[in-house]
Every structure is written in C-alpha cells, then in structure tokens.
Amino acid sequence: MRYLPLSADDRAEMLDAIGAASVEDLFCDIPADVRASGVFDLPDHQGEMAVEQAFSALAQKSLSPACAPTFLGAGAYRHHIPAAVDALIQRGEFLTSYTPYQPEISQGTLQALFEFQTQVCLLTGMEVANASMYDAATACAEAALMAARVTRRKAVLISGGVHPHYIDVIRTQLAFTGIACDRLAPDPLGIEDLLGRVSPDLACVVVQTPGFFGGLSDFSALAAQCHANGVLLVVAVAEPVSLGALKPPGEMGADIVVVDGSSLGMPLSFGGPGVGLFAVREKYVRNMPGRLVGQTVDVDGRRGWVLTLSTREQHIRREKATSNICTNSGLCALAFSIHVALLGDTGLAKLAEVNHAAAVALSRKLAAVKGVKIVGPAFFNEFAVMLPKPAAEVVEALAAKGILGGVPVSRFYPSFPELENLMLVAATETNSDADMDALVAALKEVLQ
Amino acid sequence: MIEGQVFPSVPAGTVTGNRGLVVEEPLLFEQGSVAGSGVDLPEPRDVPDGLGGFRRTTPIGLPGLSEPQVVRHYTRLSQKNYSIDAGFYPLGSCTMKYNPRLNEKLARLSGLGDLHPFQPISTVQGALEMMHSLAVWLMELTGMAGVAMSPAAGAHGELCGIMAIRAAQEAKGNPRKIILVPESAHGTNPASASLCGYSVVAIPATSEGRVDIAALKEKLSDEVAGIMLTNPNTCGLFERDVREIADLVHAAGAFFYMDGANFNALIGRVKVADLGVDAMHINLHKTFSTPHGGGGPGAGPTVLSPALVAFAPLPFVRKTKDAFELVETRAQAGEAAHPFGRMKGFHGQFGVMLRALAYAMSLGKDGLRQTSGDAVLNANYLLARLKDVLTAPFDGPCMHEALFDDGFLKDTGVTTLDFAKALIDEGYHPMTMYFPLVVHGALLMEPTESESKQTLDVFIDTVRGLAAKALAGDADFFHAAPRLTPRRRLDETLAARKPVLRWRPDVAD
C-alpha cells in the first residue's frame, strides 16, 4: 500500500524490540469482544488510477459552471483565480505544515498571516484583524458572542438583509447561551427600520452590505445610533471584491467586520472550505476570538512573528476562553492573501469596477425581458429580480437549457410566499456578453 | 560551549543577513508601489455608474506587485516553514501524516471543485453522491447510525455533538447543567461545553493515566447531561473501562461524547458504537490525511447514535430511490427530524470531505486497518527504544502516541522546551510539549503510520544523543537552541505586552 512505508520485516523487527508477539497484542487494552476484525462492509484498497476514475465519474454527474453560463451568487461568487495562487498554496511548506506553534520554523506561515491581517484591516477600514475563522457565517456568530462579552448584554438584533445562513448559524450558536436573538423579516427592498429598534438592551446589531438581496447600505447613521446606546455594530460583507469600490465598513463606524473571503483565491468547491475574515476596533482586541499573529524580535534582535495574546484561547483558558476555536482556515487565508497581493490597490479597484459594470449591463438586459422586474435599490454585482412565476421552477428550466441563471430566494425562505418569485442574479468578470445574451434568450423562452 | 563558537552566529556572517537558500524577505507592504498590479483585467463595460454615494473615497493602501515579485515573495516565505513533506513531525495529538497528492488533484476536478453551492440540485448529483459516500464510510467505520457532515473542524464537531446532546436532553424535558470532562482533555472540550450553556466538572485521572471510575461515579447525577471523553486519551492510552463508563453515564440519563481526535489509533479495529458512544467527531485533517495547511481548513464530521441522530444539524444529504437530495430547511427535513439548527454556511467543508473520501478509497478497509496497526506499532517502537533514556510515566503498551515526562531532565538545567528547541536544530519538528497537563513537562510523540523504520531509528538516535548531552551537563547548548533556524527564539512576552498585529508605515523597520 503506497502510503505505508513499513515492510513485513520492519514490523517483525519492531515487535521484537517492543517485546510483543503481534501487532494485535498492542491493542490488548481494547476489550477483545469489541475488536471488530474484518467486519466492515467496505471495499479494499485501490490504486491511484482506479480512485481517479471513480472521481472523474462523479465529476461528470454534475454540471460544471465552467461549461454553463453562470449567474449564481447568494453569498458565493465565481471569479477568475490567477494561476500563481494555486501553485503557491500547493507548495508543501504551506500545504503540509501545522499551526505555527514553533515560530522558529514557521516564519513563512506567520509572516504571511501577519500580512493577511494587515490586508484585512486595509480592506475593511478596521484597526485589528485575526488570522481568520472557518467562514463568514461562523464568524458572524463569533461576532455576536464577542459583542455579548464586551457589553455584558444578552440580546442581539439581526437585519433581514443578512445572509440567511449567517442568521441561522448565529441563532444556532446563541441558542444555548441565554442570549436572545431577534431577527427581522427578509428585506429585499432595504426598507426595514433598524434605527428605531436600537436600544440599550442590545449587545449588537448585525447588518450586511451588499445585502443578501444585493442592496447597498451606508450604516453610518446606524453606527452613531448604536454607539449612543452602547451597542456594537457588526457589519458582514459576503463579497470582498465589493470592498475595492465601496466605502469600507470601518469608515461607517463598524465595531466588528466579518467578511466571507472565499471570492478571492479559492475555488467555489460547492461552498467549502472558505475563510471568514474578522476585524475589530483595537480597544476590543482582548475580547476577540481566533488566532492572532504579532510582531516581535528574536534573541539576535531580528524582526519575527509569533502567535500572540493566546491567553484568550481555549488551550490556556479552557471553559473561560473567548471561543472554542482551535484551527482557523490558514491555507484559505493564504490563498486570499496571495490573490489580493497580486491584484494590489489598482487591480482590486478595477476588478470591482468590472464586476459592477457587468451587473449593471446584465440588469439592463434583464429589465427588458417582459414580466421581469429588477427589485430594490443600488447594487454591486448582484441584484434581485421578480419573475412572473416561481423562481425555483424558472431556475430548473434554465438549468435544463444548460444555464445556471440564478438562485431562487425560496430555497432559503420556503415559508414566505411573497418571496416565491424572487431570484438572485449575480454577474462577475467571468461573464461574457454572449453568456448574458444566452441567459436573456433562455429566460424569454422559459417565461413564455 | 559558548554560543557561536561551533555554529556560525547569525546574522553576522553575511552582508545581507541571508544564509544561502534562506533569504530575508521584507513584508509585501515594504515592496512595490501602489500603481502596479500582477493581474491583467478586462476593461469595465461602458455603462452608467450605479454606486453613487456608496463609493470608496480613500485608496485601500495595498502595494501593487507584478506576478514574479509575488511568486518570489511567497516562495521565499515558504522556505522558512517546516512541513510534513520535508521532515518528521512527531507532534502528539495532531496526527501529522502524509497528505497524498492524488487528493489535491481530485479536489480540483471540474465538476467537483468548481461547483457553486446553490446550483439546482439536479445539476449537483455527483457532489451529493460524494458527500453521501463519505458519510457511508464514516458510519460503517464507526458503526454509528448517522453523521453530521457540516462541522468545519474538530472543535466545531465537539460543539455539534454537545448541541445534539443538549437538544436531546431538552426534548426529554430538562437540558441539565453539567458536562463531565477528564482533566487530561484538550482545552477545546471544556470550551465547547461552555458554549452550550453547560458548566464543566473535571474528573481526575488514576495513577495509571486513565479515568478514575470511583470519582466518575461520585460526580454523576441527574444534573449531568453528558461526558466528553477522549479515547485513546491524551496520554496515548486506551480507556480500558470505556464500556463501564458508557453504562454508568447512560444509567444516569446522560450521553457519551467521545472526542475522536485520536481515531487514527482505532480505525479499522473497533466500531466505536460498540463502546457505547453517542457522538464522536472525526478530524478529517488528522485521521483522513487532509492537509493541515498551516492551521486549517479542517473538517469535523460528527457521527451520532440512534438517540441523537434526529437532532443532527442542517443541511444533510438524503438518498432517495433514484437521486440525492440536499435537505436545507426544517420544512424539507420532515416530521421525524428535529435539527438543532445550522453550524456553517453553505454545505460544510466539501473540498476537505472529497480529499478524505479519496484517502479512504485508496486505503480501503484493509489499508485503514493496516494504518492503525502501523501507527500504534511506530508509537510503541519509540516508547520501547526511548524509555530507558527518557522517563515514561505510564506502563505500555501505548496506542498511537508515546508520552514521556521531564523526569529524565531533573537537575540538568534543561527544560522540556529547551530539549524540543534542540531537536529543531537537528532537523525535526518538536513533539507536543507540556500537554497533557497531567504529567510534568510532558513530551508527547505521535509518529503516525507515515514514517519508515529508518526515519524512526535516526530520530531515536538523535533523541538519545541529546538526552546524553543534557545529562552530561551541557545546558548552555540547549538554552541557546535553536541556532540554525531562520529565526531563533522569539520574544513572546514582548509580542503580548506591546501587540503589533499589523503593518503600519510608522512601525516598519
């Protein structure tokens, strides 16, 4: 078996050195009657070629976005990834290293994460960022827990413009903590009244821009209202490319910013693994969850990096830790960071313009289709359209024509009949004019 | 020996501070100008601007670098990292095994790696089949009734398991108040229990390094919701009384969570369902060979007993007569299911699951059984050949990892940390240090099945040589280690006292 170096002779010699008669004897502490020898209903080992063939067969059972005009968003956006990103993250020194607990032999990962933290601060307009979280949804939950720690309050308010998965994960994670969670109804028009609901009982208000339905918001007034009531403002961003063009949440007065980083550097991979970016105001750093890399010097006085402020973490604080998190999403953070490094200031700004212009162009084409109405206010690269019939049916009919045309909102909100005909449509730099025309033509046929 | 006499002192040797292949590398932000970019993009379409007042008015502040500059930067950084590809990583409780490259290739296949999470279900049948196949492997290998696939890491799987336990207790009418955790447990165990609103009560270990049954009996009550038990435990020992523990816990109306961090010792040997387990997470990034990536991403699917399976979180894959469904909402889940909620955005760590399935299929049931056999054999070989020079606190055999304490360093002036740092100069990643907390100055070594006898023999000779050096009174040698690394010991106190957590123009060198 190709992954196992020991030979039969090795095993015999080693057993001899140990003084055991057989490998089975080494398992003597396991009660004999439960040692299940050979009772697994599973196949035996296979060569590399056979496994590869099995996966190729699986791949052919799905419709790859590479083979179909694709306009899917709802929190996951298809972007072109420069070839250098994947080549670099596949270097074994990055791919196969552990969490950098031994800083003398982990300066590569540590410096890269320090740069990542800096990039996240610059993109979000915040002061401090951690070394990443599992994803944006779990990072939102961590933000709510952090706000409760900081304010010592037991209530959280979530906007109806937040991604429903983020909302569900926040609610799940708070369910058993005694922190009340009030979420507003889904808000495709961006008309909910958050300002009027801010009260001194709240630990935080959680909002998102661009919102789940695509709409843009400036939360400056909300931030002021929150701060007047001692409430933290948590701003989520599902599409980091938007930060190349939009006013960053830090400038709006956000206290905690959470970003889904997976648009940059990572393949869609059916939604995971991704990476959650997490940035806060400096005064809250000791209440922050997750790993942090800090700069220091070695015994020769040379600049270097270490994991720091670990007294917040579970391996030191156990049940009093700020979070139970141990692993972060290191390799995804690295991929994000390399993509951002390649883009630079001008590249990211331009990528954002290309995305926005693609979405504007698509919205104009779709608005001309009979029965289709663009819903809501200003958007970045995604918007909602109201269709004359249920969006789930339309999406299936488009897929049958080889087009991944949009995401039906009913997939998230099956019990809201008023959202049944609503479809989210995204456009990125990957969409050609021909793609858009194909969608328009197919939609006309489907809606006839 | 005086520092610098035998080994060249660094950075004094060269004009640049560079040392041959190890090149000093400034931060990204200390290179390039704002104007450049390493990506050539198409021009935006000529359409009216829709962003208006939402526009950014300040530059981001990122440097602009060309592609070759970026590639060189990260290549140089990579050369400052230790990795399992490059050397032996006997890091106890972390299972640093070889990461097969086939799995990386398969994760990038078009039709798998590029699927969007919200494509119509009819267009992602292969992806759902993949998730279902891995679920079947995990259920069969553990004998459990179901598996929650979405947890993103081991600690996340613990949280999933304890949430399922809490939901099940609530369904019985009383969530209860306490989770029992042995004092040798990973820190994530008490932290996870606490996140579910439970207070944590520690159970002491016996002098044999196992759970003290008498103490457990004393702590069990009708306020105990469950126990979290790592097995094999963090001392590398199998809890021989596991079934008695399970029976006691169940008799008290509580559930048995087994921390599966050390499942590599059991795979293909025992079905944990036969041990009375109600929930257990499996670290795919340990037992199933997916790369650690410098700290994630991982995945922690959590297998569940019949008593807990109805409470599994959304989403999950359901196989029907001729297709696979993805159950994403309570409405879809049906009346028999009572999902406690959702743990993660989208559908879990799909790319990690895919690599794990490729690993399982490559090894098969025979190879997985050989894996645990070789992992346990390697650990016992280390124990047998080192216990005369290091001090082993507990009698063998051990399971997949060998535990030593710092008794052998007594009166040498050398600590466990010093000893570990000297190993770095010898070309090894250190073992886990100072964990578990139940022995003094712990050194926990997990060789995994990936290492050859030759690698272990050279390592054993190295450890024996260093132990002899320590006993010979050469403490200065250890205090000065490591000497040959890109950086030597770093000032962690300074880092924590005056945190510098990001680059700013005014704090750069």
Side-chain angles (χ1 to χ4, degrees), chain A residues 112-313:
Chain A
L113 287 174
F114 183 78
E115 292 171 344
F116 167 81
Q117 289 174 183
T118 307
Q119 288 173 331
V120 174
C121 291
L122 292 170
L123 287 168
T124 56
M126 299 296 283
E127 289 156 1
V128 184
N130 73 14
S132 81
M133 318 287 281
Y134 304 138
D135 71 357
T138 56
C140 280
E142 293 284 353
L145 287 167
M146 177 180 153
R149 279 196 302 277
V150 167
T151 60
R152 297 171 189 274
R153 295 178 185 174
K154 294 273 184 190
V156 165
L157 177 67
I158 311 176
S159 155
V162 173
H163 193 294
H165 282 187
Y166 304 178
I167 298 176
D168 287 347
V169 174
I170 298 172
R171 281 157 51 104
T172 301
Q173 190 132 351
L174 296 189
F176 302 135
T177 60
I179 302 168
C181 196
D182 188 10
R183 51 89 57 93
L184 301 183
D187 181 32
L189 299 173
I191 51 172
E192 68 188 3
D193 173 31
L194 281 169
L195 274 178
R197 302 185 65 127
V198 175
S199 77
D201 304 333
L202 290 175
C204 67
V205 176
V206 185
V207 295
Q208 180 177 322
T209 185
F212 177 67
F213 299 97
L216 304 181
S217 307
D218 187 331
F219 298 115
S220 300
L222 179 63
Q225 181 77 356
C226 283
H227 297 157
N229 285 275
V231 178
L232 303 197
L233 180 65
V234 178
V235 178
V237 177
E239 170 53 294
V241 173
S242 72
L243 295 169
L246 298 177
K247 184 172 169 180
E251 286 183 20
M252 301 176 193
D255 298 287
I256 304 175
V257 178
V258 165
V259 183
D260 185 332
S262 35
S263 266
L264 292 170
M266 276 149 276
L268 284 167
S269 192
F270 206 43
V275 59
L277 283 43
F278 194 98
V280 303
R281 297 275 166 223
E282 194 147 23
K283 61 184 168 184
Y284 301 128
V285 65
R286 283 174 201 271
N287 276 297
M288 195 177 195
R291 294 267 150 80
L292 279 166
V293 174
Q295 183 173 306
T296 186
V297 293
D298 76 352
V299 292
D300 294 326
R302 293 175 299 170
R303 181 173 70 171
W305 290 274
V306 293
L307 291 175
T308 192
L309 300 181
S310 57
T311 48
R312 302 163 298 118
E313 291 187 61

Side-chain angles (χ1 to χ4, degrees), chain A residues 216 352-365 378-381 383, chain B residues 44-53 55:
Chain A
L216 304 181
E353 295 307 326
V354 173
N355 271 259
H356 176 58
V360 170
L362 179 61
S363 73
R364 298 169 103 195
K365 286 174 192 274
F379 57 82
F380 173 63
N381 68 352
F383 52 89
Chain B
R45 289 175 175 81
D46 187 16
V47 291
D49 172 33
L51 297 180
R55 274 196 176 277

Side-chain angles (χ1 to χ4, degrees), chain A residues 1-5 11 13-14 24 27 29 33-34 36 40-46 52 59 61-65 73-76 86 90-98 102-109 111 114-115 117-118 123 126-127 135 138 165 172 176-177 243 245-247 251 268-273 286 294-300 302-303 308 314 318-319 324 327-328 330-331 342-347 350 353-354 356 395-396 411 431 433, chain B residues 10 25-28 30 35-38 41-43 45 50 54-56 58 60-63 73-74 77-78 80-85 89 91 94 99-100 105 108 110 113-116 118-120 122-124 126 129 140 155 185 187-188 192 194 196-197 210 240 243 265 269-270 291-296 328 341-346 349-351 362-367 369-370 374 378 421 433 449-450 453 487-491 496 500-503:
Chain A
M1 271 167 257
R2 59 190 182 277
Y3 304 148
L4 301 174
R11 292 185 185 112
E13 276 180 51
M14 292 165 79
E24 192 64 28
F27 290 87
D29 284 333
D33 54 328
V34 296
F40 298 93
D41 182 18
L42 293 166
D44 281 332
H45 70 278
Q46 297 183 68
E52 192 167 338
K61 291 181 188 173
S62 296
L63 176 61
S64 160
D86 201 38
Q90 285 203 73
R91 288 187 65 91
E93 302 92 329
F94 287 133
L95 184 74
T96 76
S97 56
Y98 194 68
Q102 299 297 318
E104 301 92 340
I105 47 173
S106 310
Q107 285 297 303
T109 292
Q111 182 174 338
F114 183 78
E115 292 171 344
Q117 289 174 183
T118 307
L123 287 168
M126 299 296 283
E127 289 156 1
D135 71 357
T138 56
H165 282 187
T172 301
F176 302 135
T177 60
L243 295 169
L246 298 177
K247 184 172 169 180
E251 286 183 20
L268 284 167
S269 192
F270 206 43
R286 283 174 201 271
Q295 183 173 306
T296 186
V297 293
D298 76 352
V299 292
D300 294 326
R302 293 175 299 170
R303 181 173 70 171
T308 192
Q314 48 76 25
R318 301 178 78 86
E319 68 269 23
N324 74 330
T327 319
N328 56 12
L331 200 71
L342 282 163
L343 285 165
D345 219 305
T346 54
K350 186 169 179 186
E353 295 307 326
V354 173
H356 176 58
V395 162
E396 283 290 350
R411 185 160 173 176
N431 293 118
D433 287 339
Chain B
V10 177
E25 179 63 9
L27 291 164
L28 281 173
E30 295 159 353
S37 180
L41 291 160
E43 291 307 312
R45 289 175 175 81
F54 299 107
R55 274 196 176 277
R56 177 187 272 280
T58 51
I60 306 164
L62 298 166
H73 176 73
Y74 286 101
L77 291 192
S78 75
K80 300 175 204 295
N81 267 6
Y82 198 85
S83 66
I84 185 70
D85 275 0
Y89 230 116
L91 194 59
C94 298
N99 307 145
K105 181 179 179 184
R108 289 163 172 80
S110 185
D114 61 353
L115 294 178
H116 189 282
F118 300 127
Q119 290 184 215
S122 61
T123 70
V124 292
E129 183 178 342
E140 180 60 20
T188 51
S192 299
S194 173
C196 294
R210 293 180 168 89
R240 287 185 206 118
R243 283 190 307 172
R269 300 272 158 186
V270 57
H292 277 76
E328 296 176 280
R342 166 180 280 277
M343 300 221 51
K344 197 175 175 312
F346 311 121
Q349 305 284 69
F350 179 81
S362 292
L363 281 166
K365 69 169 184 293
D366 54 335
R369 182 178 164 82
Q370 188 69 61
D374 285 358
N378 277 353
K421 297 297 185 190
M433 293 173 274
E449 72 282 2
S450 301
K453 178 171 177 294
R487 287 292 178 271
R488 297 182 58 207
R489 286 198 211 190
L490 290 128
D491 189 343
V500 177
L501 304 173
R502 59 176 289 192
W503 174 83

